[in-house]
Amino acid sequence: MRAAIPILFAVSSAASALAADVDFSKIAPHPRLFWPAEIPAADTPLLRNFDAALLRRGKKMLGQKPLERVLEGRRLLGVSRDALQRIVLLAYLHRTTGKPGFLQQAETEMLAIAGFSDWHPEHFLDVAEMTAAMAIGYDWLYDDLPAASREKIRDAIRDKGLQAALGKTGTTASRATNNWNPVCNGGITLGALAIAEDAPDLAAGLVSRAIDNLPRAMAAYEPVGAYPEGPGYWAYGITYNVLFIAALDSALGSDFGLAAKSGFRKAPEFLMQVTGPSGRAFNFSDGSDRRQPSPAMFWFARLLDNPAIARQDVALLAKDLAGDGKSFPVERFDPFFRLWFPTAPPADAPPPPLAWLGRGPNPIACFRTSWDPATAVYLGIKAGSASASHGHMDCGAFVIDAAGLRWAADPITRPYNELETAGVDYWNGAQDSERWKVWETSPFSHNTLTIDGQLHNVAAHSKIKDFTSDHAVIDLTETLQGQVSHATRAFSLSPAGEILIRDQLRGLQPGAVVRWAMLTPADAAISGKSATLTQKGKSMTVNFTSNAPPALTIEPCDADERPFRRPVAGYRQLVAKFTAGEDGTLSISTAISPP
């Protein structure tokens, strides 16, 4: 056994107490990370199609050139994620098929990565995801890797993963309160558990530090599971949070009470509620509206003995595999769908509530007329703050689904590297930052109100009040601070699917122009005080009633004003402008009739 490497940092008193419980003398044998005693049999068409898709993908990897250490901008993250996608799948297929080609390709990839000069600790997510990839491959293939290769891979995990975690960027990431915390603590913990017998002191210290620090990020799910960074970063952070807990349980026989935290246990409902009947996510904050199936939802369904949690994700997986399944999207954690597949049919469980209030630091509310994707009308609304991690100036924004289609959309965030390469100061959240000049992040792209072309107040924290089963009010007074004395935006959804939005503004400057906007993929036509939206043979009507005449326009999204704006293909904005009178008030009612 390799000599223990001394710990190079001092853990907190809480972590020290936990370290006594991290007993590697009782650690499970390899494979100790996640691997179940038995993988659910492929006894349904869905599982058979899924297995076939994974096998096709794995065969395409055979003989490919191994990954190289090539940065994209300031990140190696894309390479780390490619490593996860390749190594996890190849290791899974080797264990499930026994075909040597998968082992050989995985070994080639891992040895190439072990030979990198480093895993780019300057951006510690890169190290964390690379360590996760190497740890899973090392653990799952442990018995079949040649001894010399195993040693090189183990040493790389120790030196380029665990030792790097002791540095400034790794230590800072371990204490973050956003998605960096579970990703970085999760990836490093997988590495520590994988090689625990060869570096017990180093591994125990890092696992203890992670157990101590992970609750700092898990607090974001309190009190009801709503995640302030939006569904995209929910998927990123929660996946590593689940991997962290599942790895502790499989390797050490305990999750140290982490899975018992109340808000975390409610987190799956957030993802179910922000998924509209169109299959698209209510993608507030940085992210895309593509709702990908999440293996974490399968894990939660087992943890909570509630198969309904997996219902949407089983349906999304089936949709992705429809036809010949050859267009099945490639995701780096796909084999975990098989390891955690629900043990009971999701269709047999009752659905979640039709109205849901996601309280927390960046609150949202979701309403729908039913859980039938074909007939439901869905309304998602957002309050909160632009100062939240990955936040936008989107307080008061909404999305609408009906007839299985998205009608009112949230803008999709551009790739970070594109903005950074152009020199945009995107990560500065100050009121006068360039972040708010980026169209997708500014209030002008979102389905909300702006006054005289002014920004929202970045420090505001708007609240949702008066929430009922069909009604909610957002107080926008702080968001529009200095522009109004009082502002509210009330939403309601009737059982028949009609949506009513009531905007009340007081204390406006006489002559101030209030801009009401809705981003839509539908074609639009204006007639008087109404607009008709059409797509795929369906139509939706938007009617305005106000104490000031509306000026309605359809604004294209085809401006190319880089770096702050680029054309947004397939979308346009329905814009209504209202001019305040001498009394400084505006009352706007918007009735939206579903298809």
Side-chain angles (χ1 to χ4, degrees), residues 206-507:
L206 287 168
V207 172
S208 296
R209 184 179 80 172
I211 293 169
D212 189 37
N213 283 326
L214 189 65
R216 297 167 62 88
M218 294 179 75
Y221 299 105
E222 300 295 340
V224 296
Y227 191 62
E229 294 183 288
Y233 279 98
W234 180 99
Y236 190 30
I238 206 85
T239 298
Y240 272 97
N241 205 318
V242 164
L243 290 171
F244 181 96
I245 291 172
L248 290 178
D249 194 50
S250 65
L252 301 175
S254 172
D255 65 13
F256 297 85
L258 293 170
K261 295 188 177 297
S262 175
F264 176 74
R265 294 171 77 86
K266 295 174 183 175
E269 191 161 354
F270 166 79
L271 193 62
M272 289 188 281
Q273 291 288 352
V274 299
T275 303
S278 66
R280 297 183 180 276
F282 176 13
N283 54 306
F284 66 90
S285 299
D286 285 347
S288 166
D289 63 356
R290 182 173 183 266
R291 167 64 161 92
Q292 300 173 182
S294 168
M297 295 295 275
F298 285 15
W299 182 86
F300 273 111
R302 287 177 167 235
L303 173 75
L304 302 175
D305 193 25
N306 181 2
I309 290 171
R311 179 187 285 119
Q312 283 180 338
D313 292 80
V314 168
L316 288 166
L317 205 57
K319 183 179 179 181
D320 283 346
L321 289 164
D324 59 13
K326 292 182 179 179
S327 60
F328 178 53
V330 176
E331 299 299 338
R332 58 197 185 281
F333 297 112
D334 282 346
F336 287 88
F337 285 113
R338 289 296 274 118
L339 302 187
W340 296 334
F341 199 80
T343 56
D348 294 346
L354 296 177
W356 184 77
L357 174 60
R359 291 177 289 128
N362 215 10
I364 63 167
C366 302
F367 304 88
R368 68 187 79 210
T369 55
S370 78
W371 282 91
D372 179 355
T375 62
V377 176
Y378 172 82
L379 170 67
I381 67 173
K382 182 183 178 298
S385 178
S387 65
S389 177
H390 291 282
H392 291 189
M393 288 188 173
D394 59 359
C395 295
F398 60 91
V399 297
I400 297 171
D401 282 2
L405 301 169
R406 172 97 358 136
W407 295 86
D410 204 63
I412 296 171
T413 307
R414 259 187 280 174
Y416 297 145
N417 187 60
E418 177 184 324
L419 294 164
E420 293 164 352
T421 301
V424 176
D425 190 13
Y426 190 72
W427 301 108
N428 181 347
Q431 183 70 44
D432 59 354
S433 166
E434 286 186 335
R435 178 179 179 86
W436 313 119
K437 294 181 181 179
V438 176
W439 187 75
E440 296 89 343
T441 314
S442 77
F444 310 112
S445 64
H446 290 90
N447 302 335
T448 187
L449 301 174
T450 53
I451 301 171
D452 288 336
Q454 298 178 76
L455 295 175
H456 287 180
N457 174 17
V458 73
H461 284 79
S462 61
K463 297 176 175 59
I464 296 177
K465 59 183 185 178
D466 301 332
F467 176 82
T468 68
S469 62
D470 62 358
H471 177 80
V473 178
I474 298 177
D475 188 338
L476 291 176
T477 305
E478 281 190 25
T479 297
L480 301 174
Q481 186 176 26
Q483 304 170 48
V484 296
S485 60
H486 185 73
T488 59
R489 173 161 257 204
F491 297 85
S492 62
L493 173 64
S494 75
E498 183 175 71
I499 293 168
L500 190 61
I501 305 172
R502 296 185 180 90
D503 297 309
Q504 300 284 339
L505 300 100
R506 298 198 301 268

Side-chain angles (χ1 to χ4, degrees), residues 451-452 483 505-514 546-549 577-588:
I451 301 171
D452 288 336
Q483 304 170 48
L505 300 100
R506 298 198 301 268
L508 289 159
Q509 291 294 318
V513 176
V514 175
S546 61
N547 64 345
K577 292 183 178 179
F578 306 84
T579 303
E582 290 299 320
D583 62 355
T585 65
L586 273 177
S587 178
I588 307 163

